[in-house]
Amino acid sequence: MNGNRNGDAMELLNKKVLVVGMAMSGIGAAELCAEHGALVTLSDGKQKDQLKEQLSHLKAAAEAPGIFGRAPSSEEACGFDLIILSPAVPADLPFLEAARSAGVTVWGEIELARRFCKAPIVGITGTNGKTTTTTLMGEILKAWKPGSLAAGNIGLAFTSVAESVPEEAAVALELSSFQLETIDGFRPKVSAILNFTPDHLNRHYTYENYVAAKCRIYEYQRPEDALVLNYDDPLVREKGEILAQREDAPSICWFSHEVRTPEGVWTQEGHILAEVRGEVLDIAAIEDLKIIGAHNEENVMAAVGCALRMGVPVSILREQLMNFRGVAHRIENVGSVRGVTWYNDSKGTNPDAAIKGLLAMRSEKTVLIGGGYDKGTPYDEWCRLFPGRVRELVLIGQTAEDIRACALKYGFHEEDIYMAASFDEAIEECFRAARPGDSVLLSPACASWGMFDNYEQRGDLFREAAQRLQSR
């Protein structure tokens, strides 16, 4: 097992291992350790009877003892050789600090998994766009090398698949700040940082700590590795320029809407271009992509940079870019109905996300479904965009009246607002109001609770409705 070409082997036989957090990655970690002969103990703040569904997936670790309904004591924690944390578990809990002081190794599940992965890794992080970029990168790698996959924070635990990926394949990993703060030697062949905006400050305490955790993605990279960075994000650029002064820094590939850089990726006159060994390649026309919006152009450029640095042939790269329809519920093109394109952006559960959805529309006229559960967020910045962009605003849910009032405040016309009593009624109104060339966009700026189980159910129903309407 060479992990990431650094020869770190992992001997677990008869080692006492505590796995903390029984979500997917924790279950995967417990199984991986047990399969290699470790003496595993499970731990979760929930009582064992609340974890029946999760624990039902255990096989090798099915009989492992557990510490449930509370945190391990410092004394208990100090009795293990290795502690593995799920991403949701803060790394500075008192029992973990005590264990470290006693010489116990404390890792996150990514650090454990990479030691059993023979395939090269493409690691992707940033505040926004990770899932789309990692999913696209996964599709590119799978088309290039059979057996490749996407995992990590994207929903497939790396611990559950690390050993199964063939050495000649590759892994695209979505990596959160929580996962990166607990690495110890993790060295992707190619890494990428998409952007920085303040997030998870309740966990990291300061923005500086959050950024530092993200930047750990390149901490162990060397000159033969590559780092793909967003030139247009000032803080990402600052970190990259500082890193470039390091003698053993990885090779940096910049991507940008604004600037052409040597061996970088950029946009020019509606095309995505890249320089490869001094030759400028026309990778794709932006209008030919199925995912839309300036933020998605950045995601595509990041994936292009990663793919080229991995050695993916341009023909395979182009084909996958043209075929990629995006991630479910994130400005997802779900079909065309009588010349109207329908977009499912049910993941737009707050005004900031909904702004990105609306600005991404290529059509100047959009029939927009908004509203849902009230999270107490102001709608002003979203609503001020409506005049000139939204043909009709179709409102649902608890927040419908508040959004209506806000839209009127910014000059949107009363006659262009429709108050729907149900989601089905909203769909029918969109079908009636949209004209050929328009877009219908579900980007509610609100949570789904009250009308739906979650945003996925809301988006699935929208997608099904769009597909059903195609037969009318």
Side-chain angles (χ1 to χ4, degrees):
M1 298 173 295
N2 62 14
N4 296 313
R5 311 165 326 282
N6 54 18
D8 285 348
M10 186 73 234
E11 179 56 66
L12 289 173
L13 183 63
N14 293 325
K15 292 288 179 66
K16 291 181 287 185
V17 179
L18 176 67
V19 180
V20 186
M22 290 294 101
M24 285 188 294
S25 60
I27 294 296
E31 283 293 279
L32 183 59
C33 291
E35 287 168 0
H36 284 268
L39 306 175
V40 174
T41 298
L42 312 176
S43 176
D44 197 281
K46 294 180 179 178
Q47 296 291 346
K48 189 173 184 178
D49 60 3
Q50 296 176 286
L51 297 165
K52 289 180 180 178
E53 170 61 26
Q54 293 93 318
L55 298 179
S56 68
H57 297 288
L58 292 173
K59 296 177 183 175
E63 303 303 318
I67 301 170
F68 297 108
R70 62 176 178 86
S73 68
S74 295
E75 183 178 1
E76 287 171 324
C78 291
F80 291 93
D81 300 305
L82 173 66
I83 298 176
I84 303 297
L85 305 182
S86 294
V89 179
D92 60 353
L93 293 174
F95 76 90
L96 297 173
E97 298 287 7
R100 289 189 188 95
S101 297
V104 178
T105 299
V106 179
W107 290 336
E109 36 83 40
I110 292 295
E111 182 60 35
L112 172 71
R114 69 98 179 168
R115 292 165 182 265
F116 292 91
C117 182
K118 298 177 182 178
I121 292 169
V122 179
I124 296 166
T125 196
T127 306
N128 299 305
K130 296 187 298 296
T131 298
T132 296
T133 306
T134 306
T135 303
L136 172 56
M137 196 64 223
E139 293 303 306
I140 294 167
L141 293 176
K142 283 187 277 188
W144 178 46
K145 299 284 189 181
S148 298
L149 51 80
N153 196 53
I154 202 168
L156 178 63
F158 189 28
T159 47
S160 68
V161 296
E163 285 191 294
S164 65
V165 184
E167 187 171 0
E168 62 275 11
V171 179
L173 280 185
E174 178 183 330
L175 296 165
S176 70
S177 58
F178 300 163
Q179 292 168 312
L180 287 167
E181 68 179 348
T182 52
I183 62 170
D184 180 18
F186 172 71
R187 182 185 164 198
K189 181 175 182 180
V190 177
S191 65
I193 301 178
L194 306 179
N195 45 59
F196 292 132
T197 58
D199 202 4
H200 301 303
L201 301 190
N202 60 327
R203 170 84 168 256
H204 295 290
Y205 306 117
T206 69
Y207 186 32
E208 291 74 16
N209 289 344
Y210 170 70
V211 170
K214 291 286 191 185
C215 288
R216 295 204 71 197
I217 196 169
Y218 58 74
E219 183 173 331
Y220 297 98
Q221 287 192 290
R222 296 295 176 258
E224 60 268 32
D225 304 321
L227 171 61
V228 178
L229 296 175
N230 185 352
Y231 188 91
D232 300 339
D233 184 297
L235 186 52
V236 173
R237 183 167 70 249
E238 177 187 321
K239 294 295 184 182
E241 289 172 345
I242 293 171
L243 175 66
Q245 299 172 23
R246 199 178 84 186
E247 287 187 4
D248 61 348
S251 171
I252 295 177
C253 169
W254 298 102
F255 65 90
S256 174
H257 279 296
E258 304 167 1
V259 176
R260 172 183 171 179
T261 55
E263 297 297 313
V265 184
W266 66 96
T267 59
Q268 183 177 316
E269 298 179 352
H271 286 252
I272 294 174
L273 306 177
E275 184 176 313
V276 179
R277 292 182 292 278
E279 180 184 1
V280 175
L281 304 176
D282 187 343
I283 301 297
I286 291 171
E287 67 177 5
D288 291 338
L289 301 176
K290 291 184 172 64
I291 57 174
I292 59 176
H295 64 296
N296 271 327
E297 291 168 23
E298 292 182 354
N299 296 336
V300 169
M301 284 192 286
V304 168
C306 290
L308 293 175
R309 291 304 178 103
M310 283 291 290
V312 176
V314 174
S315 59
I316 292 176
L317 175 57
R318 286 195 183 112
E319 181 181 15
Q320 294 309 307
L321 294 180
M322 295 303 100
N323 290 338
F324 186 63
R325 301 186 72 88
V327 178
H329 314 299
R330 292 170 173 84
I331 320 181
E332 175 193 10
N333 183 331
V334 294
S336 181
V337 181
R338 295 184 180 179
V340 176
T341 306
W342 289 53
Y343 291 97
N344 165 25
D345 191 36
S346 188
K347 186 66 166 62
T349 58
N350 60 64
D352 286 345
I355 286 170
K356 288 186 174 67
L358 184 56
L359 292 178
M361 294 297 100
R362 287 173 177 160
S363 166
E364 293 183 359
K365 292 298 181 183
T366 298
V367 178
L368 172 65
I369 300 179
Y373 180 84
D374 188 1
K375 296 197 289 185
T377 51
Y379 303 108
D380 298 72
E381 296 304 313
W382 181 47
C383 290
R384 71 170 73 243
L385 297 174
F386 293 172
R389 285 188 173 88
V390 175
R391 180 183 298 284
E392 183 170 297
L393 177 62
V394 181
L395 294 173
I396 58 173
Q398 181 184 16
T399 59
E401 186 53 48
D402 288 344
I403 296 172
R404 172 186 168 277
C406 190
L408 294 174
K409 181 168 70 173
Y410 291 102
F412 199 70
H413 298 139
E414 178 80 57
E415 61 267 25
D416 295 327
I417 300 176
Y418 185 91
M419 308 292 279
S422 67
F423 194 59
D424 287 343
E425 184 180 333
I427 295 291
E428 287 298 322
E429 177 58 21
C430 291
F431 181 70
R432 185 201 66 77
R435 303 173 188 174
D438 286 358
S439 300
V440 171
L441 172 66
L442 169 68
S443 192
C446 300
S448 58
W449 310 316
M451 296 181 72
F452 310 93
D453 292 338
N454 46 50
Y455 76 81
E456 292 97 338
Q457 184 190 48
R458 178 171 62 188
D460 289 343
L461 290 171
F462 180 82
R463 185 192 304 108
E464 291 165 8
Q467 293 168 352
R468 188 169 59 249
L469 289 171
Q470 292 175 30
S471 62
R472 279 201 187 177

PDB file of all heavy atoms in Angstrom, residues 22-24 27-28 31 35 51-62:
ATOM      1  N   MET A  22     -20.602   7.513  14.238  1.00  0.00           N
ATOM      2  CA  MET A  22     -21.110   6.378  13.488  1.00  0.00           C
ATOM      3  C   MET A  22     -21.934   6.791  12.274  1.00  0.00           C
ATOM      4  O   MET A  22     -22.956   6.195  11.958  1.00  0.00           O
ATOM      5  CB  MET A  22     -21.948   5.483  14.407  1.00  0.00           C
ATOM      6  CG  MET A  22     -21.136   4.735  15.449  1.00  0.00           C
ATOM      7  SD  MET A  22     -20.015   3.502  14.689  1.00  0.00           S
ATOM      8  CE  MET A  22     -18.438   4.373  14.722  1.00  0.00           C
ATOM      9  N   ALA A  23     -21.462   7.839  11.569  1.00  0.00           N
ATOM     10  CA  ALA A  23     -22.020   8.147  10.258  1.00  0.00           C
ATOM     11  C   ALA A  23     -21.338   7.247   9.226  1.00  0.00           C
ATOM     12  O   ALA A  23     -20.595   6.321   9.583  1.00  0.00           O
ATOM     13  CB  ALA A  23     -21.826   9.622   9.937  1.00  0.00           C
ATOM     14  N   MET A  24     -21.563   7.517   7.933  1.00  0.00           N
ATOM     15  CA  MET A  24     -21.055   6.626   6.889  1.00  0.00           C
ATOM     16  C   MET A  24     -19.541   6.438   6.969  1.00  0.00           C
ATOM     17  O   MET A  24     -19.026   5.326   6.835  1.00  0.00           O
ATOM     18  CB  MET A  24     -21.427   7.174   5.504  1.00  0.00           C
ATOM     19  CG  MET A  24     -22.877   6.995   5.131  1.00  0.00           C
ATOM     20  SD  MET A  24     -23.183   7.463   3.402  1.00  0.00           S
ATOM     21  CE  MET A  24     -22.843   9.209   3.461  1.00  0.00           C
ATOM     22  N   ILE A  27     -18.593   4.249   9.985  1.00  0.00           N
ATOM     23  CA  ILE A  27     -18.890   2.831   9.725  1.00  0.00           C
ATOM     24  C   ILE A  27     -17.824   2.255   8.798  1.00  0.00           C
ATOM     25  O   ILE A  27     -17.304   1.147   9.020  1.00  0.00           O
ATOM     26  CB  ILE A  27     -20.295   2.680   9.103  1.00  0.00           C
ATOM     27  CG1 ILE A  27     -21.387   3.095  10.107  1.00  0.00           C
ATOM     28  CG2 ILE A  27     -20.514   1.259   8.611  1.00  0.00           C
ATOM     29  CD1 ILE A  27     -21.469   2.231  11.335  1.00  0.00           C
ATOM     30  N   GLY A  28     -17.473   3.002   7.749  1.00  0.00           N
ATOM     31  CA  GLY A  28     -16.436   2.536   6.831  1.00  0.00           C
ATOM     32  C   GLY A  28     -15.104   2.363   7.523  1.00  0.00           C
ATOM     33  O   GLY A  28     -14.379   1.394   7.285  1.00  0.00           O
ATOM     34  N   GLU A  31     -15.132  -0.784   9.777  1.00  0.00           N
ATOM     35  CA  GLU A  31     -15.020  -1.998   8.960  1.00  0.00           C
ATOM     36  C   GLU A  31     -13.604  -2.192   8.436  1.00  0.00           C
ATOM     37  O   GLU A  31     -13.049  -3.298   8.472  1.00  0.00           O
ATOM     38  CB  GLU A  31     -16.002  -1.927   7.783  1.00  0.00           C
ATOM     39  CG  GLU A  31     -17.439  -2.216   8.166  1.00  0.00           C
ATOM     40  CD  GLU A  31     -17.622  -3.667   8.586  1.00  0.00           C
ATOM     41  OE1 GLU A  31     -17.738  -4.542   7.716  1.00  0.00           O
ATOM     42  OE2 GLU A  31     -17.610  -3.935   9.799  1.00  0.00           O
ATOM     43  N   GLU A  35     -11.357  -5.383   9.486  1.00  0.00           N
ATOM     44  CA  GLU A  35     -10.929  -6.312   8.433  1.00  0.00           C
ATOM     45  C   GLU A  35      -9.421  -6.539   8.453  1.00  0.00           C
ATOM     46  O   GLU A  35      -8.935  -7.572   7.990  1.00  0.00           O
ATOM     47  CB  GLU A  35     -11.372  -5.791   7.066  1.00  0.00           C
ATOM     48  CG  GLU A  35     -12.872  -5.923   6.821  1.00  0.00           C
ATOM     49  CD  GLU A  35     -13.332  -5.141   5.594  1.00  0.00           C
ATOM     50  OE1 GLU A  35     -12.471  -4.506   4.943  1.00  0.00           O
ATOM     51  OE2 GLU A  35     -14.547  -5.145   5.309  1.00  0.00           O
ATOM     52  N   LEU A  51     -29.002   4.048  16.801  1.00  0.00           N
ATOM     53  CA  LEU A  51     -28.065   3.867  15.693  1.00  0.00           C
ATOM     54  C   LEU A  51     -28.257   2.538  14.973  1.00  0.00           C
ATOM     55  O   LEU A  51     -27.363   2.058  14.279  1.00  0.00           O
ATOM     56  CB  LEU A  51     -26.625   3.940  16.227  1.00  0.00           C
ATOM     57  CG  LEU A  51     -26.216   5.272  16.857  1.00  0.00           C
ATOM     58  CD1 LEU A  51     -24.926   5.101  17.651  1.00  0.00           C
ATOM     59  CD2 LEU A  51     -26.021   6.343  15.778  1.00  0.00           C
ATOM     60  N   LYS A  52     -29.455   1.950  15.119  1.00  0.00           N
ATOM     61  CA  LYS A  52     -29.693   0.622  14.547  1.00  0.00           C
ATOM     62  C   LYS A  52     -29.449   0.595  13.039  1.00  0.00           C
ATOM     63  O   LYS A  52     -28.833  -0.342  12.517  1.00  0.00           O
ATOM     64  CB  LYS A  52     -31.117   0.163  14.867  1.00  0.00           C
ATOM     65  CG  LYS A  52     -31.331  -0.199  16.323  1.00  0.00           C
ATOM     66  CD  LYS A  52     -32.769  -0.646  16.568  1.00  0.00           C
ATOM     67  CE  LYS A  52     -32.987  -1.001  18.040  1.00  0.00           C
ATOM     68  NZ  LYS A  52     -34.400  -1.391  18.301  1.00  0.00           N
ATOM     69  N   GLU A  53     -29.923   1.624  12.333  1.00  0.00           N
ATOM     70  CA  GLU A  53     -29.764   1.650  10.875  1.00  0.00           C
ATOM     71  C   GLU A  53     -28.285   1.706  10.493  1.00  0.00           C
ATOM     72  O   GLU A  53     -27.814   0.938   9.643  1.00  0.00           O
ATOM     73  CB  GLU A  53     -30.505   2.855  10.297  1.00  0.00           C
ATOM     74  CG  GLU A  53     -30.225   3.133   8.820  1.00  0.00           C
ATOM     75  CD  GLU A  53     -30.623   1.987   7.911  1.00  0.00           C
ATOM     76  OE1 GLU A  53     -31.522   1.194   8.278  1.00  0.00           O
ATOM     77  OE2 GLU A  53     -30.035   1.873   6.816  1.00  0.00           O
ATOM     78  N   GLN A  54     -27.524   2.593  11.123  1.00  0.00           N
ATOM     79  CA  GLN A  54     -26.106   2.714  10.804  1.00  0.00           C
ATOM     80  C   GLN A  54     -25.344   1.443  11.160  1.00  0.00           C
ATOM     81  O   GLN A  54     -24.548   0.926  10.361  1.00  0.00           O
ATOM     82  CB  GLN A  54     -25.494   3.904  11.562  1.00  0.00           C
ATOM     83  CG  GLN A  54     -26.012   5.262  11.127  1.00  0.00           C
ATOM     84  CD  GLN A  54     -27.182   5.720  11.970  1.00  0.00           C
ATOM     85  OE1 GLN A  54     -28.084   4.940  12.290  1.00  0.00           O
ATOM     86  NE2 GLN A  54     -27.185   7.004  12.335  1.00  0.00           N
ATOM     87  N   LEU A  55     -25.583   0.931  12.353  1.00  0.00           N
ATOM     88  CA  LEU A  55     -24.827  -0.241  12.813  1.00  0.00           C
ATOM     89  C   LEU A  55     -25.189  -1.511  12.048  1.00  0.00           C
ATOM     90  O   LEU A  55     -24.404  -2.473  12.041  1.00  0.00           O
ATOM     91  CB  LEU A  55     -25.054  -0.447  14.311  1.00  0.00           C
ATOM     92  CG  LEU A  55     -24.585   0.697  15.221  1.00  0.00           C
ATOM     93  CD1 LEU A  55     -24.896   0.380  16.682  1.00  0.00           C
ATOM     94  CD2 LEU A  55     -23.104   0.981  15.037  1.00  0.00           C
ATOM     95  N   SER A  56     -26.336  -1.506  11.393  1.00  0.00           N
ATOM     96  CA  SER A  56     -26.742  -2.686  10.614  1.00  0.00           C
ATOM     97  C   SER A  56     -25.817  -2.927   9.426  1.00  0.00           C
ATOM     98  O   SER A  56     -25.797  -4.007   8.850  1.00  0.00           O
ATOM     99  CB  SER A  56     -28.183  -2.532  10.127  1.00  0.00           C
ATOM    100  OG  SER A  56     -28.283  -1.496   9.149  1.00  0.00           O
ATOM    101  N   HIS A  57     -25.031  -1.905   9.041  1.00  0.00           N
ATOM    102  CA  HIS A  57     -24.122  -2.051   7.901  1.00  0.00           C
ATOM    103  C   HIS A  57     -22.778  -2.660   8.305  1.00  0.00           C
ATOM    104  O   HIS A  57     -21.933  -2.921   7.452  1.00  0.00           O
ATOM    105  CB  HIS A  57     -23.893  -0.685   7.244  1.00  0.00           C
ATOM    106  CG  HIS A  57     -25.133  -0.081   6.662  1.00  0.00           C
ATOM    107  ND1 HIS A  57     -25.740  -0.562   5.519  1.00  0.00           N
ATOM    108  CD2 HIS A  57     -25.911   0.950   7.093  1.00  0.00           C
ATOM    109  CE1 HIS A  57     -26.820   0.152   5.249  1.00  0.00           C
ATOM    110  NE2 HIS A  57     -26.945   1.070   6.196  1.00  0.00           N
ATOM    111  N   LEU A  58     -22.569  -2.859   9.578  1.00  0.00           N
ATOM    112  CA  LEU A  58     -21.317  -3.448  10.040  1.00  0.00           C
ATOM    113  C   LEU A  58     -21.295  -4.955   9.802  1.00  0.00           C
ATOM    114  O   LEU A  58     -22.303  -5.631  10.000  1.00  0.00           O
ATOM    115  CB  LEU A  58     -21.118  -3.169  11.531  1.00  0.00           C
ATOM    116  CG  LEU A  58     -20.857  -1.715  11.921  1.00  0.00           C
ATOM    117  CD1 LEU A  58     -20.863  -1.584  13.445  1.00  0.00           C
ATOM    118  CD2 LEU A  58     -19.524  -1.237  11.365  1.00  0.00           C
ATOM    119  N   LYS A  59     -20.155  -5.454   9.393  1.00  0.00           N
ATOM    120  CA  LYS A  59     -19.958  -6.892   9.229  1.00  0.00           C
ATOM    121  C   LYS A  59     -18.766  -7.343  10.074  1.00  0.00           C
ATOM    122  O   LYS A  59     -18.916  -7.947  11.125  1.00  0.00           O
ATOM    123  CB  LYS A  59     -19.748  -7.231   7.752  1.00  0.00           C
ATOM    124  CG  LYS A  59     -20.975  -6.932   6.890  1.00  0.00           C
ATOM    125  CD  LYS A  59     -20.719  -7.198   5.427  1.00  0.00           C
ATOM    126  CE  LYS A  59     -21.947  -6.825   4.581  1.00  0.00           C
ATOM    127  NZ  LYS A  59     -21.675  -6.961   3.130  1.00  0.00           N
ATOM    128  N   ALA A  60     -17.576  -6.966   9.629  1.00  0.00           N
ATOM    129  CA  ALA A  60     -16.382  -7.367  10.376  1.00  0.00           C
ATOM    130  C   ALA A  60     -16.375  -6.782  11.785  1.00  0.00           C
ATOM    131  O   ALA A  60     -15.868  -7.395  12.720  1.00  0.00           O
ATOM    132  CB  ALA A  60     -15.126  -6.926   9.608  1.00  0.00           C
ATOM    133  N   ALA A  61     -16.956  -5.578  11.936  1.00  0.00           N
ATOM    134  CA  ALA A  61     -16.960  -4.923  13.248  1.00  0.00           C
ATOM    135  C   ALA A  61     -18.300  -5.050  13.961  1.00  0.00           C
ATOM    136  O   ALA A  61     -18.576  -4.308  14.908  1.00  0.00           O
ATOM    137  CB  ALA A  61     -16.598  -3.453  13.086  1.00  0.00           C
ATOM    138  N   ALA A  62     -19.110  -5.998  13.521  1.00  0.00           N
ATOM    139  CA  ALA A  62     -20.478  -6.106  14.054  1.00  0.00           C
ATOM    140  C   ALA A  62     -20.512  -6.358  15.558  1.00  0.00           C
ATOM    141  O   ALA A  62     -21.429  -5.912  16.253  1.00  0.00           O
ATOM    142  CB  ALA A  62     -21.242  -7.203  13.316  1.00  0.00           C
TER     143      ALA A  62
END
